[in-house]
Amino acid sequence: MPMILSKANENMTRKQRELFDREQLILDTAQQILNQQGTQGLTMDRVAAEIEYSKGTVYNHFSSKEEIISGISCRCMDNLTELFGRARDYNGSHRERIAAVGIAQSLYAQLHPVEMQNMQLIKSADVRDKISEEKQLELLQIEQKITGIVLEIVRDAMNNGDIPQDQPFIPDSIVLGLWSMGYGSNLLHMSGIPFKKLGMQQPLEMAWVNSHKLLDSYQWRPLSTTFDIYALREKLCKDLFPEEMKQLNSPK
Amino acid sequence: MPMILSKANENMTRKQRELFDREQLILDTAQQILNQQGTQGLTMDRVAAEIEYSKGTVYNHFSSKEEIISGISCRCMDNLTELFGRARDYNGSHRERIAAVGIAQSLYAQLHPVEMQNMQLIKSADVRDKISEEKQLELLQIEQKITGIVLEIVRDAMNNGDIPQDQPFIPDSIVLGLWSMGYGSNLLHMSGIPFKKLGMQQPLEMAWVNSHKLLDSYQWRPLSTTFDIYALREKLCKDLFPEEMKQLNSPK
DNA sequence: ACCTGAACACCGTTCAAGT
DNA sequence: ACCTGAACACCGTTCAAGT
């Protein structure tokens, strides 16, 4: 039974630190393979060979391949959480902050398409049942954290009087609306569907338009009719995600 | 090289008919296994055993497991297309028709969760590249057809004056907005995310609210402020999808 | 010309043996 | 107590042999 070492800790013994480091090494390696060779290229043999330990040792840390995938997903969601955090702490209107969340999500999907696929994989299907309860709890906590950030922005906006309170289901409906639209457009973007061939716009571009349409419909002020959403996007990208923009624009 | 026999045809020889029937038998069987045993329960061995032919014969029809999955997906998208068709032909306002599309999507996801997962699987990842060009074309054509229905409703509404024309990106943006929101909320619904535990509403329920919010934002008349969206849902379910509602409410 | 199923390659998982 | 890697089970795919 492998120890749960999701978080580093001051009080760890040398042995525990070693185990923790190796767990990170395994995840590092697995993620690298995933990025270079895709989902099907990620095999336990390859991971073991790369870290120069045996397969048995890998299984001492992760009791199945799914747990490794889940571990990678958790890392990615942590990274995404960090981006969301920047959005929440942005020194602007609440509407600008929630817009920044959308940008963060879209940027992340474009920068890390393979990981994004994986996060989707782990969320669905029987995969979630295959992982241990501890790892499931870890997943849940990160999901709570990331949802919490968005909820917090919406609640703050309500308290600030930016959103009329006489609407049913808010703030949940707003969070879920943005979430599903962002999630769906990301997946459509990554799908092989040839939107150009279908004579259509790109999903991610339309998500930007549509999320503002949705916020307008909730009367979240300032309404997008009073400002330029593209100027806002440029400003937020420059202020909050300069590094990410550079990565996105640099040739791979 | 197996023949492409997606569609039945009057002029087929007896031999061709036999091949076509067997292809259908394989898909029937595979879909049944998929529903009973899940994605991982669907193996080529099991399919071969069930149809009482050898694995080699299965491979004469489908050159990989992915092609079988793709075949199942095509069937499902055909079924969904039929539901969408009912929505388009509904004798009501255009706004009611587009709402019916949303209901169709949601109903289908609830009635056939496993198939829905599969459609998502085939859309993404490297899976699409693993199938033959012919099958890829088949997929594309169905996607075009199903997108076409939604586009048609939106265009008709515009021509009818239900939607102000002075908005950028329409009708594409509306189609993609509804599509990504519907797609995203379906996937969130099927994901293992415990929304109740997170203290949130259900994604599918919020999708109904939010898609009307989105349509309102595009000023698609009649606005949802002038009618009861829940009464509309009941009416549409009763008029268009009575059988599906019965299935949904009957104990499994 | 079509079908068969043994054989192969690959990969996740286990566990007896080694240190 | 921890690590190892041979062995096992399973599954997608191929193809020589059979009819």
Side-chain angles (χ1 to χ4, degrees):
Chain A
M1 178 72 66
M3 244 174 289
I4 304 304
L5 295 169
S6 319
K7 291 262 159 60
N9 191 313
E10 319 275 290
N11 312 329
M12 291 195 294
T13 64
R14 181 181 60 76
K15 196 68 220 170
Q16 283 180 319
R17 235 180 302 121
E18 270 178 33
L19 284 176
F20 177 80
D21 287 345
R22 197 158 60 204
E23 187 165 313
Q24 294 311 116
L25 176 64
I26 293 173
L27 287 177
D28 285 341
T29 308
Q31 194 166 355
Q32 201 183 329
I33 296 174
L34 190 72
N35 271 311
Q36 288 170 357
Q37 325 218 28
T39 312
Q40 48 186 331
L42 177 60
T43 71
M44 299 303 263
D45 275 286
R46 241 182 283 250
V47 172
E50 204 76 40
I51 64 169
E52 293 185 305
Y53 281 94
S54 71
K55 281 198 282 184
T57 299
V58 175
Y59 273 91
N60 272 345
H61 287 272
F62 299 91
S63 61
S64 72
K65 189 185 171 181
E66 277 74 22
E67 292 213 338
I68 293 189
I69 292 176
S70 153
I72 296 177
S73 284
C74 282
R75 284 177 153 212
C76 294
M77 289 176 71
D78 270 337
N79 294 334
L80 194 56
T81 304
E82 195 270 320
L83 297 188
F84 276 33
R86 286 189 224 168
R88 179 198 50 205
D89 301 336
Y90 183 64
N91 185 13
S93 72
H94 294 96
R95 171 114 189 192
E96 285 174 330
R97 292 182 205 170
I98 202 75
V101 166
I103 295 177
Q105 201 177 16
S106 161
L107 272 180
Y108 197 82
Q110 288 171 270
L111 282 173
H112 309 284
V114 193
E115 280 96 336
M116 204 70 195
Q117 296 257 46
N118 245 64
M119 286 175 44
Q120 160 207 356
L121 202 104
I122 206 71
K123 273 199 210 309
S124 77
D126 10 48
V127 183
R128 211 178 171 108
D129 301 330
K130 275 196 196 166
I131 62 182
S132 67
E133 285 200 23
E134 284 87 352
K135 302 268 175 184
Q136 280 190 41
L137 192 69
E138 196 188 339
L139 263 176
L140 181 61
Q141 282 169 346
I142 303 182
E143 279 161 2
Q144 252 168 337
K145 197 171 165 191
I146 207 161
T147 312
I149 293 179
V150 185
L151 254 176
E152 195 184 329
I153 299 177
V154 180
R155 285 219 183 90
D156 286 350
M158 290 172 70
N159 290 334
N160 199 48
D162 296 353
I163 310 170
Q165 307 250 3
D166 58 343
Q167 306 180 77
F169 303 121
I170 58 171
D172 292 23
S173 57
I174 299 182
V175 172
L176 276 170
L178 293 173
W179 192 352
S180 53
M181 186 134 66
Y183 195 54
S185 58
N186 274 342
L187 293 179
L188 288 178
H189 167 70
M190 292 183 306
S191 80
I193 303 175
F195 291 98
K196 269 195 184 150
K197 239 185 253 177
L198 296 170
M200 297 184 80
Q201 303 287 329
Q202 292 305 303
L204 288 186
E205 201 52 33
M206 291 304 101
W208 181 242
V209 173
N210 280 318
S211 48
H212 282 292
K213 285 276 183 190
L214 187 64
L215 297 178
D216 286 348
S217 203
Y218 280 102
Q219 301 170 64
W220 188 327
R221 294 172 202 281
L223 299 184
S224 75
T225 43
T226 68
F227 65 91
D228 179 347
I229 61 172
Y230 300 104
L232 173 63
R233 181 164 64 181
E234 263 187 51
K235 188 179 73 167
L236 290 174
C237 283
K238 197 169 128 272
D239 289 356
L240 287 173
F241 313 110
E243 271 313 308
E244 286 74 13
M245 289 306 292
K246 211 181 291 176
Q247 277 177 51
L248 192 64
N249 292 321
S250 74
K252 204 204 148 199
Chain B
M1 179 72 67
M3 244 174 288
I4 305 303
L5 295 168
S6 319
K7 291 262 160 60
N9 191 312
E10 319 276 289
N11 312 328
M12 291 195 294
T13 63
R14 180 183 59 77
K15 195 69 219 172
Q16 282 180 319
R17 233 179 304 121
E18 270 178 32
L19 285 175
F20 176 81
D21 287 345
R22 197 159 58 205
E23 186 165 315
Q24 294 311 113
L25 176 64
I26 293 173
L27 287 177
D28 284 342
T29 309
Q31 193 168 355
Q32 201 183 330
I33 296 174
L34 190 72
N35 270 311
Q36 289 170 356
Q37 325 218 28
T39 312
Q40 47 186 330
L42 177 59
T43 71
M44 300 302 265
D45 275 287
R46 241 183 283 250
V47 172
E50 204 76 40
I51 65 170
E52 293 185 306
Y53 281 94
S54 70
K55 280 197 283 185
T57 299
V58 175
Y59 274 90
N60 271 345
H61 287 272
F62 300 91
S63 60
S64 73
K65 189 184 172 182
E66 276 73 23
E67 292 214 337
I68 294 188
I69 293 177
S70 153
I72 297 177
S73 284
C74 282
R75 285 177 153 211
C76 294
M77 289 175 71
D78 271 336
N79 294 334
L80 194 56
T81 304
E82 194 270 320
L83 296 189
F84 276 33
R86 286 189 224 167
R88 180 199 48 205
D89 301 337
Y90 183 64
N91 186 14
S93 71
H94 294 97
R95 172 114 189 192
E96 285 174 329
R97 292 182 205 168
I98 203 75
V101 167
I103 294 177
Q105 202 177 14
S106 162
L107 272 181
Y108 197 83
Q110 288 171 270
L111 283 172
H112 309 284
V114 194
E115 280 96 336
M116 204 72 196
Q117 296 256 47
N118 245 63
M119 286 175 45
Q120 159 207 356
L121 202 105
I122 205 72
K123 273 199 211 307
S124 77
D126 9 47
V127 183
R128 211 178 171 109
D129 301 330
K130 275 197 195 164
I131 63 182
S132 67
E133 285 200 23
E134 283 87 353
K135 302 267 176 186
Q136 279 190 41
L137 193 69
E138 197 189 339
L139 263 177
L140 181 60
Q141 282 170 346
I142 302 182
E143 279 161 2
Q144 253 169 336
K145 196 172 166 189
I146 206 161
T147 313
I149 293 179
V150 185
L151 253 176
E152 195 183 329
I153 299 177
V154 180
R155 284 219 183 91
D156 285 351
M158 290 172 69
N159 291 333
N160 200 48
D162 296 354
I163 310 171
Q165 307 249 4
D166 57 343
Q167 307 181 76
F169 304 120
I170 58 171
D172 292 22
S173 58
I174 301 182
V175 173
L176 277 170
L178 293 173
W179 192 352
S180 53
M181 186 134 66
Y183 194 55
S185 57
N186 274 342
L187 293 180
L188 288 178
H189 167 71
M190 291 184 305
S191 80
I193 302 176
F195 291 98
K196 269 196 184 152
K197 241 184 253 178
L198 296 171
M200 299 184 80
Q201 303 286 328
Q202 292 305 302
L204 287 186
E205 202 51 33
M206 291 303 101
W208 181 242
V209 173
N210 280 318
S211 47
H212 281 292
K213 285 277 183 189
L214 187 64
L215 297 178
D216 285 348
S217 203
Y218 280 103
Q219 301 170 64
W220 187 328
R221 292 171 203 283
L223 299 184
S224 76
T225 43
T226 69
F227 65 90
D228 178 348
I229 61 171
Y230 299 104
L232 173 62
R233 181 164 63 181
E234 263 187 52
K235 188 179 74 168
L236 290 173
C237 283
K238 198 168 127 274
D239 289 356
L240 287 173
F241 313 110
E243 270 314 308
E244 285 74 14
M245 289 306 293
K246 212 182 290 176
Q247 277 177 52
L248 192 63
N249 292 321
S250 74
K252 204 204 149 198

